[in-house]
Amino acid sequence: MSGYLGSYATLGLLLLASALVFVGAFGANRLLRPARPADPPGKRAGYECGLDPVGTDWAQMQIRYYVYAYLYVLFAVEAVFLFPWAVVFDRPGFGLVTVAEMGIFVAVLALGILYAWRRNILRWS
C-alpha cells in the first residue's frame, strides 16, 4: 500500500485486526467457561491471614501518609530532571544559561521543601 492513504489503510487494518482479536478472546471465554460457575461456601468472605475477620471493613487512613507519598514522588521526579541537566551542562554553549535555569529549578525545589517544613508536614507525630 502506497500513496497518501496507504498509511491510513494500514492503520485501519491494524485496528480491525485488534478488534477481531478482542472479540475472539471474549467469545472464546464465553464458549469455554462453565455454564454455572461453582460458588463454594466462604468464597465471598473476607480474609485476614487465615483468621476470621474481626470488626468491620471500614478503616480510616490518616492523610499524612498520602502527603508523604506525594512529597516523595514530587521530589523524586524532580531529582530525575537533574541527570539530563548534568549531561547537557558539560557541552559547549550551555554554561551560564544552564546554570541559571537549574538555579531557578533548585530554588523552586527549595521553596517546596521549605513550605513543607514550615507547615510541619514533615514532622512525624
Side-chain angles (χ1 to χ4, degrees):
M1 292 184 200
S2 63
Y4 179 73
L5 296 176
S7 59
Y8 289 111
T10 305
L11 178 65
L13 287 175
L14 182 64
L15 289 174
L16 180 66
S18 63
L20 288 175
V21 167
F22 181 79
V23 169
F26 275 94
N29 183 24
R30 184 173 284 292
L31 289 175
L32 297 176
R33 73 181 173 104
R36 297 189 58 156
D39 197 8
K43 180 176 182 177
R44 301 191 192 281
Y47 182 73
E48 286 184 21
C49 305
L51 303 173
D52 291 332
V54 178
T56 63
D57 59 349
W58 176 254
Q60 289 186 344
M61 190 75 141
Q62 293 185 8
I63 189 68
R64 83 172 135 228
Y65 299 125
Y66 294 113
V67 172
Y68 283 124
Y70 178 71
L71 285 174
Y72 172 75
V73 168
L74 179 73
F75 288 113
V77 167
E78 288 178 348
V80 168
F81 286 125
L82 293 174
F83 292 110
W85 172 75
V87 171
V88 170
F89 180 69
D90 193 26
R91 294 183 183 162
F94 287 99
L96 189 58
V97 174
T98 308
V99 170
E101 288 176 355
M102 194 45 61
I104 293 169
F105 182 75
V106 171
V108 169
L109 270 177
L111 280 174
I113 197 81
L114 181 67
Y115 173 78
W117 190 345
R118 297 283 286 172
R119 301 282 295 203
N120 288 330
I121 293 174
L122 301 176
R123 188 175 309 264
W124 190 266
S125 57

